[in-house]
Protein backbone atom coordinates (compact mmCIF):
# COMPACT_ATOMS: atom_id res chain seq x y z
CA UNK A 1 0.00 0.00 0.00
CA UNK A 2 1.37 3.42 -0.98
CA UNK A 3 2.20 5.72 1.92
CA UNK A 4 1.04 9.33 1.69
CA UNK A 5 2.88 12.17 3.39
CA UNK A 6 1.68 15.69 4.18
CA UNK A 7 4.91 17.67 4.54
CA UNK A 8 4.61 21.45 4.74
CA UNK A 9 7.27 24.04 4.06
CA UNK A 10 7.21 24.79 7.78
CA UNK A 11 8.06 21.14 8.50
CA UNK A 12 11.04 21.39 6.16
CA UNK A 13 12.39 24.48 7.91
CA UNK A 14 12.02 22.73 11.26
CA UNK A 15 13.94 19.79 9.80
CA UNK A 16 16.84 21.96 8.58
CA UNK A 17 17.00 23.71 11.95
CA UNK A 18 17.08 20.50 13.98
CA UNK A 19 13.67 20.97 15.59
CA UNK A 20 12.18 17.59 14.64
CA UNK A 21 12.46 14.25 16.42
CA UNK A 22 14.39 11.38 14.84
CA UNK A 23 11.13 9.75 13.69
CA UNK A 24 9.83 13.02 12.20
CA UNK A 25 13.17 13.52 10.43
CA UNK A 26 12.95 10.02 8.96
CA UNK A 27 9.47 10.82 7.57
CA UNK A 28 10.88 13.96 5.89
CA UNK A 29 13.69 11.99 4.23
CA UNK A 30 11.27 9.30 3.03
CA UNK A 31 8.94 11.97 1.64
CA UNK A 32 11.85 13.53 -0.27
CA UNK A 33 12.48 10.29 -2.16
CA UNK A 34 8.87 9.81 -3.23
CA UNK A 35 9.16 12.05 -6.33
CA UNK A 36 11.40 14.42 -8.24
CA UNK A 37 8.98 17.22 -7.36
CA UNK A 38 9.48 16.53 -3.65
CA UNK A 39 13.27 16.59 -4.06
CA UNK A 40 13.00 19.90 -5.89
CA UNK A 41 10.97 21.43 -3.06
CA UNK A 42 13.33 19.94 -0.47
CA UNK A 43 16.38 21.53 -2.14
CA UNK A 44 14.62 24.89 -2.62
CA UNK A 45 13.69 25.14 1.06
CA UNK A 46 17.20 24.09 2.07
CA UNK A 47 18.56 27.03 0.06
CA UNK A 48 15.94 29.35 1.54
CA UNK A 49 16.99 28.26 5.01
CA UNK A 50 20.61 29.18 4.27
CA UNK A 51 19.48 32.61 3.15
CA UNK A 52 17.49 32.97 6.36
CA UNK A 53 20.56 32.23 8.46
CA UNK A 54 23.06 34.31 6.52
CA UNK A 55 21.13 37.25 5.08
CA UNK A 56 17.66 37.95 6.37
CA UNK A 57 17.24 39.97 9.54
CA UNK A 58 14.09 41.76 8.45
CA UNK A 59 10.88 41.17 10.37
CA UNK A 60 7.49 42.14 9.03
CA UNK A 61 5.56 43.57 11.94
CA UNK A 62 2.28 43.22 10.15
CA UNK A 63 1.13 42.77 6.58
CA UNK A 64 -1.63 42.01 4.14
CA UNK A 65 -0.79 38.97 2.04
CA UNK A 66 -4.00 38.89 0.03
CA UNK A 67 -2.10 39.68 -3.18
CA UNK A 68 -0.29 36.32 -3.07
CA UNK A 69 -3.13 34.07 -2.07
CA UNK A 70 -3.33 32.62 -5.59
CA UNK A 71 0.25 31.44 -5.51
CA UNK A 72 -0.24 30.06 -2.01
CA UNK A 73 -3.19 27.99 -3.18
CA UNK A 74 -1.13 26.69 -6.08
CA UNK A 75 1.58 25.53 -3.72
CA UNK A 76 -0.97 23.83 -1.46
CA UNK A 77 -1.89 21.62 -4.39
CA UNK A 78 1.79 20.63 -4.46
CA UNK A 79 1.57 19.55 -0.78
CA UNK A 80 3.68 22.52 0.45
CA UNK A 81 1.28 24.22 2.82
CA UNK A 82 0.13 27.75 3.55
CA UNK A 83 1.48 27.78 7.08
CA UNK A 84 5.04 28.74 6.30
CA UNK A 85 4.25 31.23 3.55
CA UNK A 86 2.89 33.67 6.09
CA UNK A 87 5.77 33.14 8.50
CA UNK A 88 8.59 33.17 5.98
CA UNK A 89 7.51 35.43 3.14
CA UNK A 90 10.67 37.50 3.69
CA UNK A 91 12.92 34.50 3.09
CA UNK A 92 11.08 33.39 0.00
CA UNK A 93 11.22 36.98 -1.22
CA UNK A 94 14.99 37.15 -0.92
CA UNK A 95 15.45 33.89 -2.79
CA UNK A 96 13.09 35.09 -5.52
CA UNK A 97 14.93 38.40 -5.68
CA UNK A 98 18.20 36.67 -6.52
CA UNK A 99 16.80 35.55 -9.85
CA UNK A 100 15.71 39.09 -10.63
CA UNK A 101 19.27 40.35 -10.68
CA UNK A 102 20.70 37.49 -12.76
CA UNK A 103 20.68 39.53 -15.98
CA UNK A 104 23.07 42.09 -14.48
CA UNK A 105 26.81 41.45 -14.96
CA UNK A 106 28.12 39.73 -11.84
CA UNK A 107 31.41 41.63 -11.94
CA UNK A 108 29.75 45.06 -12.15
CA UNK A 109 28.81 45.37 -8.48
CA UNK A 110 28.16 49.10 -8.85
CA UNK A 111 25.03 48.24 -10.84
CA UNK A 112 23.85 45.47 -8.54
CA UNK A 113 20.98 45.99 -6.14
CA UNK A 114 22.69 43.61 -3.72
CA UNK A 115 25.60 46.08 -3.59
CA UNK A 116 23.40 48.78 -2.01
CA UNK A 117 23.49 48.16 1.74
CA UNK A 118 21.71 49.65 4.70
CA UNK A 119 21.46 53.47 4.91
CA UNK A 120 24.66 55.25 5.95
CA UNK A 121 24.57 58.01 8.55
CA UNK A 122 26.57 61.02 7.40
CA UNK A 123 24.90 64.39 7.74
CA UNK A 124 26.48 67.78 7.01
CA UNK A 125 26.49 70.86 9.21
CA UNK A 126 26.67 73.96 7.00
CA UNK A 127 27.50 77.19 8.83
CA UNK A 128 26.32 80.64 7.80
CA UNK A 129 29.93 81.62 7.00
CA UNK A 130 30.20 78.80 4.46
CA UNK A 131 32.04 76.29 6.64
CA UNK A 132 31.09 72.60 6.39
CA UNK A 133 31.41 69.84 8.99
CA UNK A 134 30.60 66.16 8.38
CA UNK A 135 28.77 64.62 11.30
CA UNK A 136 29.69 61.12 12.45
CA UNK A 137 27.27 59.02 14.47
CA UNK A 138 23.57 59.88 14.25
CA UNK A 139 23.19 62.75 16.73
CA UNK A 140 24.32 66.33 17.17
CA UNK A 141 23.83 68.35 20.33
CA UNK A 142 24.06 72.13 20.72
CA UNK A 143 24.75 73.86 23.99
CA UNK A 144 26.19 77.09 25.31
CA UNK A 145 28.93 77.36 27.91
CA UNK A 146 30.17 80.75 29.14
CA UNK A 147 29.19 82.62 25.99
CA UNK A 148 30.43 79.90 23.63
CA UNK A 149 28.14 77.78 21.48
CA UNK A 150 29.31 74.17 21.10
CA UNK A 151 28.16 71.61 18.55
CA UNK A 152 28.94 68.07 19.68
CA UNK A 153 28.68 64.95 17.48
CA UNK A 154 29.72 61.43 18.43
CA UNK A 155 31.19 62.80 21.67
CA UNK A 156 33.46 65.28 19.88
CA UNK A 157 33.19 69.06 19.47
CA UNK A 158 32.35 69.78 15.82
CA UNK A 159 32.77 73.53 16.21
CA UNK A 160 32.67 76.24 18.85
CA UNK A 161 31.82 79.88 18.38
CA UNK A 162 31.44 82.97 20.53
CA UNK A 163 27.76 83.81 20.73
CA UNK A 164 28.29 87.49 21.61
CA UNK A 165 26.51 89.50 24.27
CA UNK A 166 22.74 89.50 24.48
CA UNK A 167 20.13 88.05 22.15
CA UNK A 168 20.29 89.18 18.52
CA UNK A 169 17.30 90.75 16.79
CA UNK A 170 18.21 89.24 13.41
CA UNK A 171 19.39 85.65 13.79
CA UNK A 172 22.06 84.00 11.68
CA UNK A 173 20.92 80.61 10.38
CA UNK A 174 23.01 77.46 10.06
CA UNK A 175 21.83 74.29 8.30
CA UNK A 176 21.91 70.57 8.95
CA UNK A 177 21.59 68.56 5.73
CA UNK A 178 20.70 64.86 5.78
CA UNK A 179 21.11 63.63 2.18
CA UNK A 180 19.28 60.76 0.53
CA UNK A 181 20.51 57.44 1.85
CA UNK A 182 21.92 58.94 5.06
CA UNK A 183 19.38 57.51 7.50
CA UNK A 184 17.89 59.56 10.32
CA UNK A 185 19.52 62.09 12.62
CA UNK A 186 18.70 63.31 16.13
CA UNK A 187 19.39 66.98 16.91
CA UNK A 188 19.20 68.59 20.35
CA UNK A 189 18.85 72.37 20.10
CA UNK A 190 20.28 74.64 22.76
CA UNK A 191 16.83 75.23 24.32
CA UNK A 192 16.56 71.45 24.92
CA UNK A 193 14.06 70.80 22.12
CA UNK A 194 14.78 67.64 20.14
CA UNK A 195 14.41 67.25 16.38
CA UNK A 196 14.60 63.96 14.46
CA UNK A 197 15.52 64.60 10.83
CA UNK A 198 14.77 62.01 8.14
CA UNK A 199 16.72 61.27 4.94
CA UNK A 200 16.66 63.88 2.19
CA UNK A 201 15.78 66.62 4.70
CA UNK A 202 17.16 69.95 5.85
CA UNK A 203 16.87 71.86 9.13
CA UNK A 204 17.77 75.55 9.30
CA UNK A 205 18.21 76.83 12.85
CA UNK A 206 19.51 80.12 14.33
CA UNK A 207 22.76 80.30 16.25
CA UNK A 208 20.65 82.06 18.88
CA UNK A 209 16.87 82.30 19.12
CA UNK A 210 15.63 85.90 18.94
CA UNK A 211 13.48 87.56 21.58
CA UNK A 212 9.85 86.46 21.60
CA UNK A 213 10.06 83.28 19.50
CA UNK A 214 12.06 80.22 18.49
CA UNK A 215 11.91 79.81 14.71
CA UNK A 216 13.36 77.04 12.53
CA UNK A 217 12.87 76.06 8.90
CA UNK A 218 12.38 72.55 7.53
CA UNK A 219 12.44 70.88 4.14
CA UNK A 220 11.75 67.14 4.09
CA UNK A 221 10.54 65.30 7.19
CA UNK A 222 11.17 66.06 10.86
CA UNK A 223 9.69 65.09 14.22
CA UNK A 224 9.77 67.75 16.96
CA UNK A 225 9.72 67.34 20.73
CA UNK A 226 9.54 70.98 21.81
CA UNK A 227 10.42 72.21 25.30
CA UNK A 228 7.59 74.37 26.63
CA UNK A 229 8.34 78.11 26.90
CA UNK A 230 5.29 80.37 27.22
CA UNK A 231 7.37 83.49 26.51
CA UNK A 232 8.82 82.13 23.24
CA UNK A 233 6.54 80.14 20.92
CA UNK A 234 8.29 77.59 18.72
CA UNK A 235 7.62 78.13 15.00
CA UNK A 236 8.41 75.63 12.23
CA UNK A 237 8.44 77.10 8.73
CA UNK A 238 8.14 75.18 5.43
CA UNK A 239 7.76 76.57 1.92
CA UNK A 240 3.96 76.46 2.16
CA UNK A 241 3.01 76.77 5.82
CA UNK A 242 4.11 77.51 9.38
CA UNK A 243 3.37 75.57 12.56
CA UNK A 244 3.29 77.45 15.88
CA UNK A 245 3.48 75.75 19.31
CA UNK A 246 4.49 76.41 22.91
CA UNK A 247 5.59 72.90 23.79
CA UNK A 248 4.46 69.67 22.18
CA UNK A 249 5.33 66.70 19.95
CA UNK A 250 4.49 66.72 16.25
CA UNK A 251 5.69 65.50 12.85
CA UNK A 252 6.09 67.58 9.69
CA UNK A 253 6.58 66.07 6.22
CA UNK A 254 7.28 68.78 3.64
CA UNK A 255 9.07 67.29 0.65
CA UNK A 256 9.08 69.30 -2.60
CA UNK A 257 6.18 68.59 -4.99
CA UNK A 258 4.33 66.60 -2.30
CA UNK A 259 1.51 67.58 0.09
CA UNK A 260 2.66 68.97 3.46
CA UNK A 261 1.58 66.66 6.29
CA UNK A 262 1.50 67.85 9.90
CA UNK A 263 0.69 65.21 12.53
CA UNK A 264 0.17 66.02 16.21
CA UNK A 265 1.30 63.51 18.84
CA UNK A 266 0.61 65.61 21.97
CA UNK A 267 -0.39 69.14 22.95
CA UNK A 268 -1.78 71.55 20.36
CA UNK A 269 -0.39 73.15 17.22
CA UNK A 270 -1.64 75.88 14.92
CA UNK A 271 -1.08 75.26 11.21
CA UNK A 272 -1.07 78.40 9.08
CA UNK A 273 -0.78 78.05 5.26
CA UNK A 274 1.06 80.88 3.52
CA UNK A 275 -1.13 80.89 0.41
CA UNK A 276 -4.60 81.82 1.63
CA UNK A 277 -6.06 78.61 3.08
CA UNK A 278 -7.70 78.91 6.48
CA UNK A 279 -5.53 77.97 9.47
CA UNK A 280 -6.41 74.98 11.64
CA UNK A 281 -5.78 73.95 15.25
CA UNK A 282 -4.77 70.29 15.51
CA UNK A 283 -5.55 67.94 18.39
CA UNK A 284 -3.54 64.78 19.22
CA UNK A 285 -4.09 62.06 16.65
CA UNK A 286 -5.00 64.50 13.88
CA UNK A 287 -3.12 65.20 10.67
CA UNK A 288 -3.47 68.23 8.42
CA UNK A 289 -2.86 67.85 4.68
CA UNK A 290 -1.90 70.92 2.65
CA UNK A 291 -2.06 70.35 -1.10
CA UNK A 292 0.88 71.04 -3.42
CA UNK A 293 -0.56 74.40 -4.46
CA UNK A 294 -0.86 75.39 -0.80
CA UNK A 295 -4.44 76.64 -1.11
CA UNK A 296 -6.38 73.66 0.29
CA UNK A 297 -6.03 72.35 3.84
CA UNK A 298 -8.02 69.54 5.45
CA UNK A 299 -7.73 67.49 8.66
CA UNK A 300 -8.29 63.79 9.28
CA UNK A 301 -7.51 61.31 12.10
CA UNK A 302 -4.45 59.05 11.88
CA UNK A 303 -2.69 56.47 14.00
CA UNK A 304 0.32 58.36 15.35
CA UNK A 305 2.60 55.32 15.54
CA UNK A 306 2.18 54.72 11.80
CA UNK A 307 3.33 58.25 10.97
CA UNK A 308 6.28 58.66 13.35
CA UNK A 309 7.76 55.13 13.37
CA UNK A 310 10.58 56.29 11.06
CA UNK A 311 12.31 58.08 13.96
CA UNK A 312 12.57 54.72 15.75
CA UNK A 313 14.23 53.04 12.77
CA UNK A 314 11.07 51.51 11.27
CA UNK A 315 9.92 52.22 7.72
CA UNK A 316 6.15 51.96 7.92
CA UNK A 317 4.09 51.30 4.78
CA UNK A 318 0.74 51.10 6.52
CA UNK A 319 -2.03 51.58 3.95
CA UNK A 320 0.40 53.21 1.52
CA UNK A 321 0.30 53.02 -2.27
CA UNK A 322 3.26 51.33 -3.91
CA UNK A 323 4.25 54.53 -5.71
CA UNK A 324 4.45 56.35 -2.35
CA UNK A 325 6.45 53.50 -0.81
CA UNK A 326 8.97 53.74 -3.64
CA UNK A 327 9.42 57.45 -2.84
CA UNK A 328 10.27 56.48 0.74
CA UNK A 329 12.73 53.85 -0.47
CA UNK A 330 14.32 56.35 -2.88
CA UNK A 331 15.05 58.76 -0.05
CA UNK A 332 16.19 56.08 2.39
CA UNK A 333 18.62 54.34 0.02
CA UNK A 334 19.46 57.09 -2.51
CA UNK A 335 18.11 55.18 -5.52
CA UNK A 336 15.70 56.02 -8.35
CA UNK A 337 12.90 53.86 -9.74
CA UNK A 338 11.50 53.51 -13.25
CA UNK A 339 7.77 52.79 -12.83
CA UNK A 340 6.49 53.26 -16.38
CA UNK A 341 5.71 49.51 -16.65
CA UNK A 342 3.46 49.51 -13.57
CA UNK A 343 -0.32 49.56 -14.11
CA UNK A 344 -2.18 52.81 -13.47
CA UNK A 345 -4.22 51.19 -10.69
CA UNK A 346 -1.96 51.51 -7.66
CA UNK A 347 -1.28 48.75 -5.15
CA UNK A 348 -2.11 49.44 -1.48
CA UNK A 349 0.10 47.68 1.06
CA UNK A 350 0.36 47.28 4.82
CA UNK A 351 3.48 46.45 6.78
CA UNK A 352 6.75 47.64 8.31
CA UNK A 353 10.44 46.84 8.05
CA UNK A 354 13.59 47.94 9.84
CA UNK A 355 15.37 50.87 8.18
CA UNK A 356 18.70 49.13 8.93
CA UNK A 357 18.04 46.47 6.31
CA UNK A 358 19.82 46.37 2.96
CA UNK A 359 17.97 47.51 -0.13
CA UNK A 360 17.95 43.94 -1.45
CA UNK A 361 16.02 42.70 1.58
CA UNK A 362 13.55 45.60 1.43
CA UNK A 363 12.80 45.04 -2.24
CA UNK A 364 12.54 41.28 -1.67
CA UNK A 365 9.75 41.92 0.82
CA UNK A 366 7.97 44.26 -1.60
CA UNK A 367 8.36 41.77 -4.45
CA UNK A 368 6.33 39.17 -2.56
CA UNK A 369 3.62 41.27 -0.92
CA UNK A 370 3.02 43.46 -3.98
CA UNK A 371 3.58 40.88 -6.75
CA UNK A 372 6.19 43.04 -8.48
CA UNK A 373 9.74 42.47 -9.63
CA UNK A 374 12.78 44.75 -9.73
CA UNK A 375 15.71 44.98 -12.14
CA UNK A 376 18.69 47.33 -12.15
CA UNK A 377 18.95 49.11 -15.50
CA UNK A 378 22.14 50.29 -17.19
CA UNK A 379 21.27 53.92 -16.34
CA UNK A 380 21.32 53.10 -12.61
CA UNK A 381 17.54 53.24 -12.18
CA UNK A 382 15.65 50.26 -10.78
CA UNK A 383 12.90 49.11 -13.12
CA UNK A 384 9.65 47.98 -11.48
CA UNK A 385 7.01 45.89 -13.19
CA UNK A 386 4.01 43.82 -12.19
CA UNK A 387 4.35 40.04 -12.14
CA UNK A 388 1.89 38.56 -14.63
Amino acid sequence: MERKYQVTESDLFDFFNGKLSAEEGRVILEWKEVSAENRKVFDAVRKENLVLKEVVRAQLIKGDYSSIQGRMAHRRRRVVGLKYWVAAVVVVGVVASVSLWDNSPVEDTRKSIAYIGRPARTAVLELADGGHHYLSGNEIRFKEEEGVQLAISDGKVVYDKKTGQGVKEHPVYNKILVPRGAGLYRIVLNDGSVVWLNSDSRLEYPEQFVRGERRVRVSGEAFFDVVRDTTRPFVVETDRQSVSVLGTEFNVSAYPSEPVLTTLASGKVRVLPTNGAKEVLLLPGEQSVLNVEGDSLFVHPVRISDVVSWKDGIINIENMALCEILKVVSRAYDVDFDTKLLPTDDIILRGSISSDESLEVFLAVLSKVADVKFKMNADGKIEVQKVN
Side-chain angles (χ1 to χ4, degrees), residues 56-71:
V56 178
R57 288 170 287 108
Q59 293 182 342
L60 285 181
I61 294 175
K62 50 186 178 295
D64 179 4
Y65 302 99
S66 59
S67 64
I68 58 173
Q69 291 299 316
R71 278 187 286 170

Side-chain angles (χ1 to χ4, degrees), residues 24 30 40 57-58 70 78 138 140 176 186 204 213 234 236 268 309 334-335 343 349 387:
E24 290 170 330
E30 289 183 0
K40 183 178 179 181
R57 288 170 287 108
R78 291 167 44 200
N138 62 348
I140 186 168
I176 294 180
R186 183 176 184 269
E204 299 181 45
E213 71 174 12
F234 196 98
V236 178
K268 293 182 180 179
S309 62
D334 191 17
V335 294
L349 299 174
V387 176

Side-chain angles (χ1 to χ4, degrees), residues 311-327:
K311 75 180 183 66
D312 298 316
I314 298 294
I315 298 177
N316 196 301
I317 58 175
E318 187 69 15
N319 291 321
M320 288 179 65
L322 179 60
C323 64
E324 296 301 318
I325 296 169
L326 294 180
K327 290 180 182 178

Side-chain angles (χ1 to χ4, degrees), residues 86-99:
V86 175
V89 63
V90 175
V91 185
V92 180
V94 172
V95 173
S97 73
V98 174
S99 65

Side-chain angles (χ1 to χ4, degrees), residues 64-68 71 89 317 321-322 325 342-343 346-349 363-374 384-387:
D64 179 4
Y65 302 99
S66 59
S67 64
I68 58 173
R71 278 187 286 170
V89 63
I317 58 175
L322 179 60
I325 296 169
L342 283 179
D346 217 334
I347 304 165
I348 305 300
L349 299 174
L363 296 187
V365 174
L366 286 181
S367 73
K368 300 310 292 183
V369 298
D371 274 339
V372 295
K373 60 181 180 179
F374 302 91
V384 191
Q385 58 180 291
K386 197 79 170 66
V387 176

